[in-house]
Amino acid sequence: MSAKIAVSLIGQRRYWPMLVAQSLGAFNDNFFRYALVTIVAFQGVTLFGLNSEMLVPIAASAFTLPIFLFSAFAGRIADKFDRTRIMRFAKFAEIWLMLIAASGFILREPLLLIITLFFMGVQSAFFAPAKNSALPTLLQPHELVAGNAMISGLLNISVLVGIGFGTVLITRESGPLIVGSVLVLIAVTGWISMRQLPPAPASNPDMKISFNFLWEIVRVLRSAFKHPQVLRPLLGTAWFWMLAASIVTLIPNFARGVLGTDETAVLLFSALFTIGAAAGAILCGALSGKGDALPFSVVGAIGLVVFNVDVALITWNNPPVPADAELIPGLDFVRDPANRRLLIDLVLAAVSAGLFVVPLQAMAQRRSPANMRGRLLAAGGLLNAFTATLGQFTLAAIAFLALPLQSAFLYIAGVSLVVAIVAFVRMLKLRSQTPSPSG
């Protein structure tokens, strides 16, 4: 059972330093970003006279743009050099970036913070392909599902904790100093942790390096399309990130305009989604065997169909909430037995998402040829960034078409149904190609 594999991995140097460093990095990314968003939205910090409605998207783009631009180039670096050395360098760079970020918070210099956010995106762009391509080097093939499940589960929890603490601590009297100190302390801890990881040798050390990172994007995507056995799980993972971005974009307006709840409900719903996705990932790791665990992706996709359709059905006849209506506090909404079915649907949809994505991550790592694993997995990072950006435009498309907000859940269910059918057909095909025990 993968639960035993997961327990055995936790105590091994070839795994736990990466698990710890990845989780601490996810915490720092979100701790920093939400502390910045909070001072912009609630404390009147401006840049070049731009208001919060303009500055918040700029800050978000400052982080995601370098991930899109440099992931392909970083994938080539991950194939040419030792992956552990790349991750150590990235974590060391994070210390200096967090020192600059701390200065930006203390001095209340938004330009310095946004520039730092850009370079944090660069750092993440180099860390991710090195980590993803190091996992199949450091772990056995049958350990990849459990290893990815623990990383995915703990990462989701780290994101949630980072968002919560970043939003709350920055508003304290000594908030900037506290936030800056935490950022630096977490970065140093992540670097110390990564120094414990053994080498993950390069798979293609003689490869030439091209510094034309824009052309590298085209080349990496072209390589991915030449390896359909890798591209399929990468596309499935990209759908998960589009789903997550759609939900994050949808929840605030859905809570206010359809359910009539206040901003505390938004935080509660976000927490339910994050914890549910983490639980689904961990559950997949605990219950899966030593294979691709593709059945869990099928089950997860079916869950995304069923529970999202039910959310739409439950709320379809809700009258629009007037702008001046008194909103229901989040805790009161959760305590009301009439809302129990909706809350269960939201949690189980998130669990389904966690079940869906973990086997695909492991599958892409296992199927990627060793000599170009970094570049192919970097293509996944590009697809994730692209689809996550598309997901953020879900509300804009719904508003343009004058559709009710509930239709977003039907859209998610419809695409998930297509994904479920494709995954089920692939699973049957793989089963038919597997030799029987008798030969």
Side-chain angles (χ1 to χ4, degrees), residues 19-35 91 94 98 120 154-167 169 178-179 181-187:
L19 176 69
V20 172
Q22 167 79 61
S23 302
L24 293 177
F27 171 88
N28 250 10
D29 286 347
N30 290 276
F31 184 67
F32 177 94
R33 289 161 63 189
Y34 277 81
K91 299 307 289 185
E94 184 181 333
M98 293 306 97
M120 286 175 66
L154 196 54
L155 184 145
N156 277 287
I157 294 172
S158 298
V159 168
L160 179 62
V161 175
I163 290 172
F165 277 102
T167 304
L169 290 181
I178 295 171
V179 167
S181 301
V182 171
L183 286 170
V184 174
L185 178 61
I186 294 295

Side-chain angles (χ1 to χ4, degrees), residues 195-219:
R195 286 187 60 83
Q196 313 309 309
L197 191 72
S203 59
N204 198 349
D206 298 325
M207 178 180 55
K208 293 182 179 180
I209 294 294
S210 168
F211 290 95
N212 187 341
F213 59 88
L214 294 177
W215 170 244
E216 197 62 36
I217 294 173
V218 177
R219 186 154 47 186

Side-chain angles (χ1 to χ4, degrees), residues 170-241:
I170 194 64
T171 60
R172 298 292 186 263
E173 184 177 350
S174 301
L177 180 60
I178 295 171
V179 167
S181 301
V182 171
L183 286 170
V184 174
L185 178 61
I186 294 295
V188 170
T189 305
W191 174 68
I192 292 173
S193 170
M194 186 52 65
R195 286 187 60 83
Q196 313 309 309
L197 191 72
S203 59
N204 198 349
D206 298 325
M207 178 180 55
K208 293 182 179 180
I209 294 294
S210 168
F211 290 95
N212 187 341
F213 59 88
L214 294 177
W215 170 244
E216 197 62 36
I217 294 173
V218 177
R219 186 154 47 186
V220 160
L221 291 175
R222 185 185 295 171
S223 297
F225 278 92
K226 290 179 180 178
H227 293 79
Q229 77 281 7
V230 180
L231 181 62
R232 283 190 291 267
L234 290 180
L235 289 173
T237 303
W239 160 241
F240 167 82
W241 288 107

Side-chain angles (χ1 to χ4, degrees), residues 32 36 39 43-47 98-114 116 170 173-181 183:
F32 177 94
L36 174 57
I39 63 172
Q43 296 186 5
V45 173
T46 60
L47 176 65
M98 293 306 97
L99 286 168
I100 298 172
S103 302
F105 279 115
I106 293 170
L107 299 174
R108 292 177 68 85
E109 286 289 345
L111 180 59
L112 187 60
L113 291 172
I114 289 177
T116 304
I170 194 64
E173 184 177 350
S174 301
L177 180 60
I178 295 171
V179 167
S181 301
L183 286 170

